[in-house]
Amino acid sequence: MRMKSGAVCRGIVAAGVAVVAALAAPAVGAENLQDAWARALVNDRGLAAVRSQAEAAQFDAAAARAQRWPTLAVGGGYTWLDDAPAFDFGFTGLPIKPPELFDGNDFAMGTATLSVPVFTGGRISSGIAAAEARGRGAGAQALGAEQDLKLAVAESYVGVLRVRKALAVADSNVRTLEALAGDVGAMFERELVPKNDLLAVEVALADARQNRLRAANAAEIAQAAYNRRLGEPLDRPAAIEDGVPAPQALPADLDALVQQALERRTELAMLGEQARAYGQLAKAERARLLPQVSVSGGYNYLENQFLDDDAFAMAGVGVQWALFDGGQSRKRASALERSRRATEEQRADVESLIALQVRQAWLEIDETEQRVRVTANAVAQAEENLRIARERYGAGLGTQTQLLEAESLRVQSLSNRDNAVLDAGLARLRLARAVGSL
């Protein structure tokens, strides 16, 4: 069991070393965030489903518009009778043998009818307007899904960079502590330091190696999650460019950012179109209470030997007026009006939420940029502090506790710097998504 665990650990360390080497090597042919977006927009199943729903809504709108066109219907049939019927003139008392209606015991018939709606009280036009509004809302939803996907991909992209940098820091910590353990070991052999100094450094080194194992495993998991987001095999190795590209320039003023978000956010457009669709459907329901007028024309064929002509044409005007339906149409219209009002209230609430999201993203940019400036100097200071601590310890003026604390500060400063830089890049992308321009 220990041999198997050791093999796994060596595999993770090897993978970590490979990742560190990939980070150190120049990124020739490495994929950037634009490449990742292009892959995800093609391969993501959730986005494909939303796009299909938008296409379905467009077909629904086309079907609603087709109600204005004439409707042509044809039909026909063949009938066999056990005995063809005939007229009965027996009541006249005359010896008249009536002819049969059909030549034989079977007959055929056919019809072709063309009908055109003339007046529907606005039912068809309101139905078309509702379907088109739903189509526009579905299109806005698809656009919003694309932006959500791009932000999710960016977060996975940054996640890979973050764990790889953490792995590089962990590897640097191990190398530094290995060097310190060698120095303290040599001093212990010359009886210059007590044994507990050596033990303390060795314990710190063991802890650093454990952290490196965890970081290597986290790098593998982040890579698999990133590949899944792109629709790629989970074990696909990928060299990605360091850093997060900045989105297009955005206004610096918070009020301008909020206004831009209220104009561009697809959630608002989708809810607005949904409210409009409910209103049009309510009109369509009320229109059912008005007369429905249509004109029709047709051609009929009836195989018989009694009528002077088997085929004849017809034309007519049809009127249908639901004088009483138990209040169904009015109640459905009222329900749709309530749905419209509810959607408008929801849209107003989303406006407030969007303004909050923009403010949070705007403040996050300011915070991360300040963190970048603060942590940039901290790394150099921490490295200088470690150098002084090593010199003082070698001269017998410092303690191993000070030495290990200096290394911990160096590791912490490196992690803070890397996280600040990545958080700043991600904050700019989040603001772009908050204003609807990602």
Side-chain angles (χ1 to χ4, degrees), residues 92-414:
T92 64
L94 299 176
I96 300 175
K97 183 179 180 182
E100 294 184 343
L101 293 179
F102 308 108
D103 185 15
N105 294 330
D106 58 349
F107 67 94
M109 63 179 299
T111 61
T113 305
L114 182 68
S115 61
V116 182
V118 176
F119 177 78
T120 62
R123 176 178 57 83
I124 292 179
S125 59
S126 296
I128 292 173
E132 290 177 344
R134 286 196 297 266
R136 291 190 296 269
Q141 184 179 11
L143 181 59
E146 290 181 5
Q147 294 190 19
D148 288 338
L149 176 61
K150 291 175 71 174
L151 181 59
V153 170
E155 290 175 345
S156 295
Y157 187 95
V158 171
V160 173
L161 291 178
R162 194 185 304 275
V163 295
R164 288 184 178 181
K165 288 181 179 294
L167 177 57
V169 171
D171 192 66
S172 171
N173 187 27
V174 169
R175 291 196 303 269
T176 300
L177 289 176
E178 286 176 344
L180 292 178
D183 294 342
V184 174
M187 295 174 68
F188 173 72
E189 290 179 355
R190 296 196 303 271
E191 298 182 352
L192 298 177
V193 296
K195 187 175 183 180
N196 65 318
D197 284 12
L198 177 60
L199 293 176
V201 175
E202 289 179 343
V203 170
L205 176 59
D207 185 64
R209 286 171 174 167
Q210 178 180 236
N211 290 335
R212 183 174 63 177
L213 286 171
R214 291 173 176 170
N217 186 56
E220 291 294 320
I221 294 174
Q223 180 65 56
Y226 171 72
N227 286 334
R228 179 190 175 277
R229 176 60 67 183
L230 270 58
E232 300 288 346
L234 299 184
D235 58 351
R236 177 186 73 105
I240 62 177
E241 291 185 1
D242 194 8
V244 183
Q248 64 181 14
L250 296 173
D253 182 64
L254 177 58
D255 292 336
L257 289 170
V258 172
Q259 183 61 35
Q260 181 174 332
L262 296 179
E263 293 173 356
R264 293 189 178 184
R265 284 291 289 266
T266 57
E267 296 92 327
L268 297 177
M270 181 186 66
L271 290 172
E273 296 296 343
Q274 186 176 347
R276 189 172 294 109
Y278 280 132
Q280 293 296 333
L281 289 173
K283 290 181 179 179
E285 285 297 330
R286 286 191 290 266
R288 295 181 186 277
L289 299 175
L290 299 175
Q292 309 291 304
V293 182
S294 64
V295 296
S296 61
Y299 173 85
N300 296 272
Y301 171 79
L302 177 61
E303 182 184 4
N304 70 94
Q305 62 181 10
F306 184 78
L307 299 176
D308 62 346
D309 193 357
D310 289 343
F312 50 92
M314 52 82 66
V317 177
V319 179
Q320 183 177 3
W321 193 352
L323 298 178
F324 178 75
D325 65 351
Q328 297 180 33
S329 296
R330 288 189 178 86
K331 291 175 182 177
R332 282 196 293 263
S334 298
L336 290 168
E337 282 293 339
R338 298 303 186 279
S339 297
R340 180 186 62 80
R341 295 176 190 173
T343 305
E344 289 176 348
E345 293 293 336
Q346 185 179 0
R347 187 182 187 279
D349 183 65
V350 171
E351 285 184 358
S352 176
L353 179 60
I354 287 175
L356 176 61
Q357 291 174 351
V358 173
R359 179 178 291 272
Q360 289 176 335
W362 183 72
L363 292 174
E364 185 179 357
I365 287 181
D366 183 64
E367 175 209 343
T368 54
E369 288 179 348
Q370 293 187 43
R371 285 170 52 200
V372 169
R373 290 192 293 270
V374 170
T375 57
N377 296 327
V379 172
Q381 294 169 352
E383 290 178 347
E384 178 65 14
N385 180 53
L386 177 61
R387 185 189 66 80
I388 294 174
R390 293 184 70 170
E391 291 180 353
R392 286 175 55 83
Y393 185 76
L397 300 177
T399 65
Q400 53 84 17
T401 301
Q402 295 173 334
L403 187 63
L404 295 178
E405 287 180 350
E407 171 58 12
S408 297
L409 289 175
R410 186 188 73 87
V411 170
Q412 187 63 48
S413 64
L414 288 172

Side-chain angles (χ1 to χ4, degrees), residues 30-53:
E31 66 185 39
N32 55 30
L33 186 55
Q34 294 290 341
D35 299 329
W37 282 343
R39 290 173 182 265
L41 291 176
V42 172
N43 297 329
D44 188 76
R45 299 294 182 84
L47 178 59
V50 176
R51 286 173 172 171
S52 295
Q53 291 174 351

